[in-house]
Amino acid sequence: MVNKIKLDEAYSLQTPDDSVKLYKKWAKSYDEDFAKSSNYLSPQKISNFFLKNSKNTDTPILDVGAGTGLVGKFLKINNKKEIIGIDISSDMLHQAKLKKCYSSLIEADITKKIPLEDNSIGAVVSAGTFTHGHVGPDALDELLRIVKPGGLFVLSINSKFFVKAGFKEKFIKINNLISTPLFEKFSAHAKNINKIYNEVEIFACIFRKKL
Ligand SMILES: C[S@@+](CC[C@H](N)C(=O)[O-])C[C@H]1O[C@@H](n2cnc3c(N)ncnc32)[C@H](O)[C@@H]1O
């Protein structure tokens, strides 16, 4: 029941400030009482898609909505590239720092101007951030600005949010800036006794910024 309330709470956030408040309460217990107890698979799945599609030149990696660092943890075990984490919640980033897998951590709202130079990032990876109550399609404009030509994107987008938030239209709008995206559907959680988790489906969206 506790987990159900948390997922509902997370999905009904309205503003970036709401995210800061929710994740402040949640940061310390997120890995145990959400990720572990709900068999949350997205960070591992997204990391695997990333590793399958990335090249040596796709560096540094920016983990968008890095949270407590679960993507960084999987990527660090399996590759030697520099990983930068960015998140709006200082409390989540504090937990990520403890995992010692990021070269730097940036506290910023990615729906605003991102404090990174044009064409400075080799790849963007993200799990659990493009979802209900969190970050919508317009953040792709800033991410495209900071990524180098040819840079890789591997993003999880909640499948119901994809339709509701207008990602389809956004991908049509930016089609001259990116390669044809590949969409791979997967379940965010392994089989769960709490039914709410079995319904969460994700698109892994994989594409490159055009040269
Ligand atoms: C469900 S957590 C996912 C964390 C991690 N990637 C994972 O898969 O465990 C979503 C994260 O997105 C962050 N977030 C929400 N809105 C954001 C925004 N506007 N800018 C940056 N980060 C944001 C939250 O603070 C939170 O850490």
Side-chain angles (χ1 to χ4, degrees):
M1 185 53 83
V2 170
N3 290 328
K4 181 175 186 307
I5 291 165
K6 291 243 164 106
L7 197 60
D8 287 350
E9 234 182 306
Y11 280 179
S12 55
L13 300 174
Q14 307 267 342
T15 66
D17 276 354
D18 292 345
S19 286
V20 174
K21 280 186 200 134
L22 174 75
Y23 287 103
K24 189 178 187 60
K25 285 193 287 178
W26 204 358
K28 267 197 191 150
S29 61
Y30 179 94
D31 286 2
E32 281 297 315
D33 88 358
F34 170 68
K36 197 168 168 199
S37 79
S38 72
N39 293 324
Y40 178 51
L41 293 179
S42 289
Q44 189 169 359
K45 294 230 173 176
I46 283 295
S47 300
N48 287 341
F49 282 119
F50 184 87
L51 293 168
K52 209 170 124 190
N53 288 279
S54 68
K55 301 187 285 200
N56 287 341
T57 46
D58 296 327
T59 183
I61 304 166
L62 184 69
D63 178 8
V64 168
T68 62
L70 295 177
V71 170
K73 192 176 105 183
F74 284 113
L75 285 183
K76 199 66 195 169
I77 297 167
N78 294 297
N79 86 108
K80 306 241 170 326
K81 294 190 189 84
E82 180 189 349
I83 313 170
I84 302 165
I86 189 165
D87 200 286
I88 198 171
S89 163
S90 60
D91 299 274
M92 293 293 268
L93 288 177
H94 177 69
Q95 298 302 315
K97 193 172 180 188
L98 301 177
K99 293 197 175 67
K100 297 186 166 62
C101 38
Y102 295 92
S103 58
S104 59
L105 293 164
I106 303 170
E107 184 186 331
D109 178 353
I110 64 139
T111 65
K112 310 250 163 66
K113 187 162 170 70
I114 298 176
L116 286 166
E117 299 291 317
D118 295 1
N119 306 324
S120 61
I121 293 295
V124 169
V125 66
S126 182
T129 303
F130 294 94
T131 189
H132 307 287
H134 286 58
V135 177
D138 287 342
L140 291 177
D141 296 333
E142 265 297 278
L143 293 174
L144 280 165
R145 175 185 68 76
I146 61 169
V147 165
K148 297 175 191 174
L152 176 66
F153 284 76
V154 179
L155 312 176
S156 89
I157 305 180
N158 178 294
S159 64
K160 286 193 180 138
F161 188 61
F162 188 97
V163 177
K164 199 172 106 182
F167 278 93
K168 190 175 167 199
E169 293 76 10
K170 187 70 184 180
F171 277 111
I172 293 168
K173 254 192 198 157
I174 61 173
N175 85 87
N176 59 332
L177 302 176
I178 63 170
S179 64
T180 306
L182 185 72
F183 296 106
E184 302 263 13
K185 207 171 189 180
F186 68 89
S187 297
H189 303 263
K191 274 260 172 279
N192 220 289
I193 46 163
N194 189 339
K195 270 195 184 153
I196 191 172
Y197 293 115
N198 295 328
E199 291 159 13
V200 185
E201 292 206 307
I202 305 295
F203 291 129
C205 303
I206 304 158
F207 58 92
R208 285 186 180 272
K209 178 172 166 178
K210 277 191 181 159
L211 288 169

